[in-house]
């Protein structure tokens, strides 16, 4: 399905330029200073660019602080609480702070609850002298490139997502004990148990396109054992993170990134040693995923209503 673009009119829209960065994902939006007073046409253009390119970047937004970031976020959607379980570090804004956590594995945010967020806005606050890039992958491009036998499988496959997974193990099998700050963060992250069954293929609520819903919160697939689940998960994840499906961003001061959490995974590259890195994240509420047969995700454990309301998807144009 194709969404309709609004006419480019109103203050700030005529100078807005969308610069495509990759064939399947990524664009930079130039010629605009984001704030809470943007005209509706400008907001619509930004949201359309987000739907098309999956992640969009703004350079030079040095005027933004937490208040301005939140005001802008409210134009694009309904902000959630900072996190379903991590409540000690802020109400609406979650600090992505290297002293507590390094999310260096592929994931879609907060898929262990039923109401998967629409999008996230991430603003650079303190950056290391080197490293600390973030990479996003298009789960729509990954689905589109599946061979028909795999499509037939995944369109009838469901996965169990939980907020309990092995933080101390890298995918290469090495185990490292977490430092104190990381241990405390993990304990808070797991302080309330959530478990949800999601379809592996969901229909995007705004574009109508099919996307894969996976990432590191997947525990196993419904109806399959641990060994079979691990093998199939790796096969599908390898499809998602093929390099041609990805975009890697080198952060600079004043940068703001927005990604469609319903159509992407991301990975924060922990290649900056002991340097300090901090970004501020605001998350926008989303809907409950629906599979290709019209079935909705199912909550097994946990109540996410304190974190986020369920926001009805935007009606498709046309």
């Amino acid at each position: 399905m194709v969404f309709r673009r609004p006419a480019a009119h109103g203050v700030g829209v005529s100078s807005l330029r969308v610069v495509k960065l990759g064939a399947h994902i990524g664009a930079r939006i130039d010629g605009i200073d984001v704030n809470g007073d943007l005209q509706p046409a400008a907001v619509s253009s930004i949201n359309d660019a987000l739907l098309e390119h999956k992640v969009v970047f703004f350079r030079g937004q040095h005027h933004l602080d937490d208040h301005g970031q939140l005001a802008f976020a409210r134009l694009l959607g309904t902000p959630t609480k900072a996190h379903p379980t991590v409540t000690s570090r802020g109400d609406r804004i979650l600090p992505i702070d290297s002293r507590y956590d390094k999310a260096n594995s592929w994931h879609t945010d907060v898929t262990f609850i039923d109401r998967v967020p629409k999008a996230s806005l991430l603003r650079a606050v303190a950056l290391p002298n080197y490293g600390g890039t973030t990479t996003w992958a298009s789960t729509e491009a990954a689905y589109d490139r599946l061979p028909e036998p795999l499509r037939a499988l995944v369109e009838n496959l469901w996965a169990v997502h939980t907020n309990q997974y092995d933080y101390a193990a890298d995918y290469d099998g090495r185990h490292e004990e977490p430092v104190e700050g990381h241990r405390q963060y993990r304990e808070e992250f797991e302080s309330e148990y959530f478990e949800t069954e999601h379809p592996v293929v969901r229909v995007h609520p705004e574009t109508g396109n099919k996307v894969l819903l996976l990432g590191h919160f997947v525990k196993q697939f419904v109806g399959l054992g641990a060994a079979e689940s691990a093998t199939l998960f790796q096969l599908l994840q390898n499809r998602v993170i093929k390099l041609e499906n990805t975009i890697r961003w080198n952060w600079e001061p004043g940068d703001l990134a927005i990604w469609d959490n319903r159509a992407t995974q991301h990975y924060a590259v922990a290649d900056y040693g002991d340097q300090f890195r901090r970004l501020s994240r605001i998350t926008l509420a989303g809907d409950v995923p629906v599979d290709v047969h019209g079935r909705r995700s199912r909550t097994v454990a946990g109540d996410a209503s304190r974190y986020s309301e369920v926001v009805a998807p935007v009606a498709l144009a046309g």
Side-chain angles (χ1 to χ4, degrees):
M1 241 173 232
V2 178
F3 52 88
R4 180 178 298 151
R5 296 181 175 279
H9 63 275
V11 176
V13 178
S14 59
S15 60
L16 186 151
R17 300 182 305 280
V18 178
V19 181
K20 189 169 184 174
L21 300 177
H24 305 305
I25 185 171
R28 191 183 70 246
I29 298 181
D30 296 337
I32 191 167
D33 291 334
V34 300
N35 57 67
D37 297 319
L38 293 181
Q39 293 294 318
V43 177
S44 294
S45 294
I46 292 169
N47 192 72
D48 279 351
L50 180 65
L51 293 177
E52 179 176 353
H53 299 288
K54 311 301 182 289
V55 56
V56 294
F57 306 98
F58 301 82
R59 293 281 198 195
Q61 306 299 309
H62 301 282
H63 59 284
L64 278 184
D65 55 12
D66 285 352
H67 176 77
Q69 183 181 354
L70 184 58
F72 172 56
R74 287 193 169 113
L75 298 179
L76 292 168
T78 302
T80 67
K81 294 291 187 180
H83 194 271
T85 58
V86 180
T87 59
S88 66
R89 295 195 287 154
D91 179 47
R92 297 288 178 184
I93 299 177
L94 182 70
I96 307 300
D97 190 318
S98 60
R99 295 171 297 180
Y100 302 105
D101 181 47
K102 293 183 178 180
N104 55 329
S105 58
W106 285 102
H107 64 288
T108 296
D109 283 337
V110 201
T111 62
F112 50 83
I113 65 173
D114 60 340
R115 55 210 64 192
V116 174
K118 166 187 174 174
S120 288
L121 297 86
L122 192 62
R123 177 174 60 89
V125 176
L127 299 173
N129 292 326
Y130 58 82
T133 60
T134 305
T135 302
W136 285 264
S138 170
T139 59
E140 179 181 313
Y143 170 84
D144 287 344
R145 285 153 185 78
L146 288 177
E148 284 301 326
L150 275 181
R151 285 193 186 187
L153 170 63
V154 296
E155 288 186 356
N156 292 283
L157 190 65
W158 286 61
V160 178
H161 296 239
T162 84
N163 61 322
Q164 291 184 357
Y165 65 100
D166 192 354
Y167 290 78
D170 292 331
Y171 284 119
D172 62 7
R174 293 180 292 118
H175 289 262
E176 299 177 0
E177 288 299 318
V179 298
E180 181 62 19
H182 290 197
R183 184 186 63 78
Q184 293 175 353
Y185 177 83
R186 180 181 67 189
E187 290 176 353
E188 186 174 13
F189 195 100
E190 297 179 349
S191 59
E192 180 180 356
Y193 180 67
F194 286 90
E195 181 176 318
T196 303
E197 293 179 356
H198 288 302
V200 171
V201 179
R202 70 172 294 189
V203 178
H204 193 289
E206 290 190 73
T207 67
N209 297 330
K210 296 174 183 177
V211 301
L212 295 177
L213 177 48
L214 291 164
H216 71 191
F217 293 117
V218 172
K219 178 181 180 181
Q220 67 184 76
F221 295 111
V222 176
L224 299 182
E228 292 172 324
S229 292
T231 300
L232 181 55
F233 176 81
Q234 197 59 61
L235 183 152
L236 296 174
Q237 272 292 116
N238 286 343
R239 288 277 181 166
V240 172
I241 63 176
K242 288 174 69 70
L243 289 180
E244 54 265 39
N245 296 338
T246 67
I247 184 78
R248 185 166 178 170
W249 187 251
N250 292 292
W251 292 95
E252 295 180 3
D255 281 0
L256 176 73
I258 310 174
W259 66 91
D260 186 340
N261 195 59
R262 303 157 299 186
T264 58
Q265 291 184 27
H266 58 282
Y267 186 117
V269 183
D271 61 348
Y272 48 95
D274 294 329
Q275 298 182 85
F276 179 57
R277 178 181 183 269
R278 177 172 171 147
L279 302 97
S280 288
R281 189 185 85 191
I282 296 173
T283 302
L284 301 180
D287 65 321
V288 177
V290 175
D291 78 353
V292 298
H293 308 291
R295 298 171 298 190
R296 290 161 56 93
S297 297
R298 304 180 287 264
T299 297
V300 177
D303 179 4
S305 60
R306 295 188 306 274
Y307 166 68
S308 167
E309 60 185 278
V310 176
V311 175
V314 175
L316 296 176

